[in-house]
Structures are given as C-alpha cells and as structure tokens.
Amino acid sequence: MTTQDAGMTQSSVRSANLALVLGRIVANSGSISRADIAHQLGMTRSTVSRLVDDLVIGQLVEEGETVAGARGRPAVPLGLRGGTVISLGLEVNVERLVATVVDLRGEVRSVAQRDVDVVAMTPAEAMTALAALAEEALREEAGEDVRVSGAVLALPGLLDRDGRRVLRAPNLGWEGAEPPALWDFTFNGGRIDLHAANDIDCSALTVIREDPGGSFLYVTGEVGIGSAVALDGRLMTGRHGWAGELGHVCVDPDGALCGCGANGCLETVAGARFLLAAAGQPTMDALVEAAASGDPRTLAAIEHAARSLGIALGAALNLLDVSTVRLGGHLGVLEPWLSGPLGDELGVRVMWARHSGIEVETVSEAPLRSAKGAGLAAQSGVLTDPAGWIAPLVER
C-alpha cells in the first residue's frame, strides 16, 4: 500500500467515524456524552473525544453544562449547534408558497409565506415568487459566519430520482416542470442549488426527528391525502422514490374520478375537497363545528371517510407489519370523530390486530411540516459528510 493509499484510507475512516458520532448526537441531542457515544459505537473514549472536539471546532456541535453522574467523571452533554449551519426548506402547494430557514437542531428560525392560488401561476412565476420569499426568510441570517447547507423544495407529487423533474402532480398540475432549472439564488455571494422532493416525505422527516428509530405510517390530509412510511427511523422511499401513495389506493372501484385519472381513490373520499362537498360544508373549520354540534350529514361524511381510510390503512398495515399510524392535517383534526369507525375497520381488516394493538396518534402543525422537513432534507450532506463541512475551521 502506498503512502497516498494509506492516507486516503485513514481519511475515509475518520470521515465515516465523524458521521457516526454526529448521527448519535442528532438522535440524542442534549442528552448524550462522549462516554455514551464511545459505549454505543464501541470506540475508545479518546477516539470519540478527538472526533467530538473536531465537531465542536467545526461549529456543528456544542457542549452543554456539566452534569454530575453517580460514578466517575461528570458528564458533559453534547448537542447540535444552532444558527451556524442553516438550510432553506421550501414548499410549493396548491394554495401557498413557503420559505423557512432551519438550523441543525431542526428549529425553524424564520418563515416567509404567501397564500396564493398556485395552480393559476406558471411554474416560472411560482419559483420567482418563492425566491423572493427565500430572500426574505434569510434576511436576518446573513452573517458572514453563517453557512447554508442547501435548499430543498417540497412538492405535492412524484418526482424523478434526481429531484429535478415533476412526473405527476394531479392537484398542482406541474407535470414535466423542472423547478431547479427555474431557480437562481445566491446567499453571501454563493449560489444555492435546489433539489425537489415529495412534500409528504419531507413532512415525515420532521416526525422521524421527533421519534428517532421509530416505525410508523404517516398519513396527512390537506387538498389530497399524502402518506409516508418510516421503518426503524429511516424513510422508506422505494426503488424510484415513489413509495407511500396511500391516497391513491382504491377504496371503491365505482367511486368518484380522482385527479390522478383513476376512480375511487382514498383521496376522493377523505381528501379535503371531497369531504367538504360530502358534508355540505364550506371550510374545514365549519365542518369541525358541524361535527361537534352533531350534524347528521357531516357525521355521515366523516364516518364514510374513516371507513375508507380503514380499508386503505388495513391493506398497508398487513403489507408492512407496522403498528403505529400517525394522522396529520385535517385527518388529525378530525381524529375524535374518525377514531371509532377507523378503529373498527382496522380491527377487522388487519390480520394481526387481535394479537398486537394498533396505535393511532395525531401529529400537530402539519401545514408547516413539509417546509421544515425540506430544510432537514437539505442538511443531509452535512450529516453524511461532516468532515467536509468542518475542514475549513479545523484546519485553521
């Protein structure tokens, strides 16, 4: 082996170890010490200490106040450092454009939003407006020491594997558009490239951050029905990145025509527009009020949506062997009325329901989760290759 080969091997090992250590801190920010990491990863304390020191110098990690332990040296908790490395989490949806600034802690530092009929805009017009919102959101983060890890755009549709071209977007109507090609944005003199991703996949990343290592089926309702699957803390995207389209599972072959071109998709029963029409209510707030007051038509529409959701979820749970369902958007809001008929349907349809309980939980703040999750997705390069991000500061 040559000296150059040995140097490359040593460098790659260090890079991989930095990523492992940072990953532990991401999953346990504020509650993990050097000794904990060494124990969990099977590394020596001296090795972990050197790696942590580099992450601290590189401004990705910070030390908390010393905590006295029962035995041995007091522990110094390690956490992600906020505000030094940030990302742009963007969203284009049917009725809004959103730009958020997210730091490594997963905290949203600023938000700029414009409620608008995006369907009436061309992709170029929408991307120009989104760039203006991004500039607004970043305005307070323009310090010289702030680094931007990237920008991810959350879209309601299927995209190609490279995150450049929209393949299907029934509600938005952007088929064939290439949002990254319509994006021209700089910050602190540097160009920020854009990657696009499915909005529900992005939203699910925020739930994974709250439950590291968890397995669940996440289903959220806005205009349509979106879903994503997490297995052991990892998003299951499928071979092409298209997994999780529960909204287009057929629940009634003779049902209404869906925007995707098929009949009887779950979205045609539980999606917001169809649900409001069935209940005879103008807005979701009005629907909730009518349900609370016991309006028969509204309750019938919700029950039909719940049973249809149970049919689709039952098939998914049987296939995936996941026992936790998390509901967001209007499905989360309507959970008090959905839970009864949904639980009955799942109890009948899920083969193992009588042997292992199915947990149905709600997820809050769904409207902002897609943009925030896009910001988390834009940090993937930092988390998988922290060596490249800390090198300029460590080598000073």
Side-chain angles (χ1 to χ4, degrees):
M1 181 181 291
T2 66
T3 302
Q4 183 179 10
D5 290 337
M8 291 176 62
T9 302
Q10 184 178 8
S11 175
S12 63
V13 169
R14 174 178 176 274
S15 179
N17 285 339
L18 279 167
L20 286 172
V21 170
L22 184 58
R24 294 290 171 166
I25 297 173
V26 170
N28 304 278
S29 185
S31 63
I32 194 168
S33 67
R34 287 171 168 81
D36 296 329
I37 296 172
H39 175 72
Q40 293 175 16
L41 296 179
M43 297 180 182
T44 65
R45 292 195 183 189
S46 59
T47 297
V48 169
S49 188
R50 286 194 299 272
L51 294 170
V52 169
D53 286 344
D54 284 349
L55 292 171
V56 171
I57 294 170
Q59 298 183 351
L60 302 185
V61 169
E62 63 183 6
E63 297 176 310
E65 296 184 5
T66 301
V67 178
R71 295 186 302 173
R73 297 179 181 177
V76 177
L78 303 169
L80 296 169
R81 183 166 175 177
T84 54
V85 175
I86 58 176
S87 59
L88 270 174
L90 311 170
E91 181 189 6
V92 169
N93 217 310
V94 174
E95 299 172 339
R96 64 177 179 270
L97 301 171
V98 184
T100 63
V101 173
V102 182
D103 67 17
L104 286 181
R105 293 173 176 168
E107 296 177 355
V108 176
R109 300 180 66 87
S110 61
V111 180
Q113 179 170 334
R114 178 180 170 190
D115 295 327
V116 61
D117 183 3
V118 179
V119 178
M121 306 171 76
T122 66
E125 290 171 339
M127 294 306 296
T128 298
L130 190 61
L133 291 175
E135 183 175 356
E136 179 183 337
L138 277 171
R139 196 166 294 152
E140 297 180 2
E141 309 295 333
E144 293 183 1
D145 294 334
V146 175
R147 294 173 289 170
V148 179
S149 63
V152 168
L153 169 63
L155 283 165
L158 300 181
L159 296 108
D160 65 8
R161 196 59 161 165
D162 296 329
R164 296 194 58 81
R165 186 167 180 264
V166 181
L167 303 178
R168 292 289 303 274
N171 294 317
L172 189 62
W174 278 25
E175 283 85 353
E178 297 187 3
L182 304 172
W183 171 264
D184 185 14
F185 194 85
T186 59
F187 177 73
N188 282 353
R191 177 179 170 79
I192 301 177
D193 292 328
L194 181 70
H195 178 85
N198 176 264
D199 60 339
I200 306 305
D201 284 349
C202 290
S203 183
L205 291 177
T206 67
V207 185
I208 291 173
R209 177 63 75 92
E210 295 166 2
D211 180 21
S215 297
F216 55 84
L217 180 55
Y218 172 54
V219 188
T220 185
E222 290 190 53
V223 175
I225 299 295
S227 62
V229 182
L231 297 176
D232 299 326
R234 292 182 177 272
L235 193 63
M236 191 187 81
T237 57
R239 182 176 180 183
H240 301 94
W242 305 336
E245 287 293 328
L246 191 76
H248 297 287
V249 169
C250 181
V251 294
D252 180 5
D254 298 319
L257 181 67
C258 181
C260 74
N263 288 87
C265 295
L266 174 63
E267 194 164 291
T268 66
V269 180
R273 286 184 296 201
F274 289 93
L275 183 55
L276 289 174
Q281 300 297 335
T283 65
M284 196 56 62
D285 287 342
L287 185 144
V288 171
E289 185 176 345
S293 64
D295 177 65
R297 181 178 174 182
T298 298
L299 293 177
I302 294 174
E303 180 174 356
H304 182 42
R307 296 199 177 277
S308 298
L309 181 60
I311 292 172
L313 280 175
L317 296 181
N318 280 330
L319 182 66
L320 297 169
D321 188 18
V322 173
S323 59
T324 299
V325 175
R326 291 183 167 155
L327 302 178
H330 69 258
L331 297 180
V333 173
L334 295 175
E335 190 274 339
W337 298 278
L338 291 171
S339 61
L342 175 58
D344 292 342
E345 203 70 37
L346 292 177
V348 171
R349 295 184 178 276
V350 178
M351 294 291 292
W352 42 262
R354 68 179 62 182
H355 305 291
S356 178
I358 301 170
E359 297 181 12
V360 178
E361 306 169 349
T362 59
V363 172
S364 62
E365 302 178 53
L368 193 59
R369 283 185 179 268
S370 291
K372 178 180 175 180
L376 293 176
Q379 297 167 5
S380 62
V382 180
L383 303 182
T384 58
D385 182 27
W389 280 86
I390 68 176
L393 298 177
V394 172
E395 295 170 2
R396 284 181 182 177

